[in-house]
Amino acid sequence: KQEVTQIPAALSVPEGENLVLNCSFTDSAIYNLQWFRQDPGKGLTSLLLIQSSQREQTSGRLNASLDKSSGRSTLYIAASQPGDSATYLCAVRPFITQGGSEKLVFGKGTKLTVNP
Amino acid sequence: GAGVSQSPRYKVAKRGQDVALRCDPISGHVSLFWYQQALGQGPEFLTYFQNEAQLDKSGLPSDRFFAERPEGSVSTLKIQRTQQEDSAVYLCASSLRRGLQETQYFGPGTRLLVL
């Protein structure tokens, strides 16, 4: 059974700092990995999607890497801002087993606070 | 250009009550997912529809949980005889097509509290 772990559970940094969020998964048989942002009382917003054949994806100040063989991904946030404060969730899309679906398997998230 | 909407946004139920949660996916989206997110946890898969067909219900925790999407658009998640452990945020997501490359777009969720 695929399990996704995110470390740390919570992180507090001063504005302007560069930071790294970690995600690990137990089964490397995945199609892709996504990073989401979740704000209180709101749904999930997709930030980056990395296909299993890719090593990294970049969007603005965000860079996500994927090492499928070791079961790890990192989300790098450059020059953090107070508006980056949110919970960041990592999710993998496992290979479809017979009768399965395109569900996502999520970690518990990292709660990020960026202090002005 | 509306996104995924869910109603109600908040629901308080007494233990033993039945509840119905509604999801309006993005117009034209074929795939629809329900997830359950307990406090401090990540979302956990409940069930998946492709149009009106429920292709995967392996995540439904008990036979008290039932989901339908009769016309391939709006979906309803029904929970019978609610228990305190059912308290969670229920998230709905949709994607345009069936496919592993497709991004899932999430609604704001329904926060259910069972007293």
Side-chain angles (χ1 to χ4, degrees):
Chain A
K1 178 184 174 185
Q2 177 74 264
E3 292 184 0
V4 179
T5 302
Q6 292 187 245
I7 295 173
L11 181 63
S12 182
V13 300
E15 182 176 3
E17 192 163 297
N18 302 326
L19 58 99
V20 174
L21 307 181
N22 296 291
C23 172
S24 61
F25 46 96
T26 55
D27 190 342
S28 62
I30 64 169
Y31 281 107
N32 54 49
L33 180 145
Q34 275 185 276
W35 283 92
F36 290 87
R37 170 184 173 138
Q38 186 172 32
D39 293 281
K42 297 186 178 181
L44 281 64
T45 301
S46 180
L47 298 173
L48 291 165
L49 186 151
I50 312 176
Q51 304 298 345
S52 61
S53 59
Q54 296 175 320
R55 298 284 292 183
E56 65 178 330
Q57 280 285 337
T58 298
S59 175
R61 295 182 293 108
L62 305 179
N63 176 277
S65 68
L66 174 65
D67 184 342
K68 197 177 73 163
S69 61
S70 67
R72 287 187 286 192
S73 175
T74 61
L75 179 66
Y76 175 83
I77 302 177
S80 58
Q81 303 170 357
D84 295 331
S85 298
T87 296
Y88 291 81
L89 292 160
C90 168
V92 300
R93 183 165 268 160
F95 281 161
I96 294 177
T97 56
Q98 188 173 7
S101 68
E102 300 142 19
K103 64 184 177 186
L104 296 172
V105 179
F106 286 85
K108 294 182 179 181
T110 294
K111 184 175 182 180
L112 173 65
T113 303
V114 181
N115 301 300
Chain B
V4 178
S5 61
Q6 294 186 244
S7 61
R9 292 294 311 279
Y10 303 93
K11 176 70 179 177
V12 178
K14 293 182 180 178
R15 191 174 56 181
Q17 263 186 323
D18 297 349
V19 297
L21 311 180
R22 176 186 170 109
C23 172
D24 286 79
I26 295 173
S27 178
H29 277 203
V30 166
S31 296
L32 186 145
F33 302 80
W34 283 99
Y35 293 86
Q36 179 191 59
Q37 186 175 22
L39 189 64
Q41 305 294 312
E44 292 196 1
F45 170 79
L46 293 177
T47 188
Y48 162 66
F49 290 86
Q50 182 186 355
N51 294 310
E52 69 279 1
Q54 189 174 21
L55 298 186
D56 186 353
K57 54 182 181 180
S58 62
L60 295 176
S62 78
D63 59 6
R64 296 186 295 104
F65 287 70
F66 172 76
E68 60 182 6
R69 193 186 185 197
E71 297 179 357
S73 55
V74 172
S75 178
T76 303
L77 177 67
K78 297 179 180 178
I79 309 173
Q80 297 177 324
R81 304 180 304 281
T82 52
Q83 303 294 315
Q84 286 186 321
E85 61 263 29
D86 299 335
S87 296
V89 175
Y90 291 85
L91 296 165
C92 176
S94 69
S95 61
L96 179 60
R97 286 176 287 269
R98 183 172 190 186
L100 297 159
Q101 318 304 329
E102 294 293 318
T103 297
Q104 294 181 20
Y105 296 89
F106 283 79
T110 293
R111 185 175 298 274
L112 172 65
L113 177 62
V114 181
L115 301 177

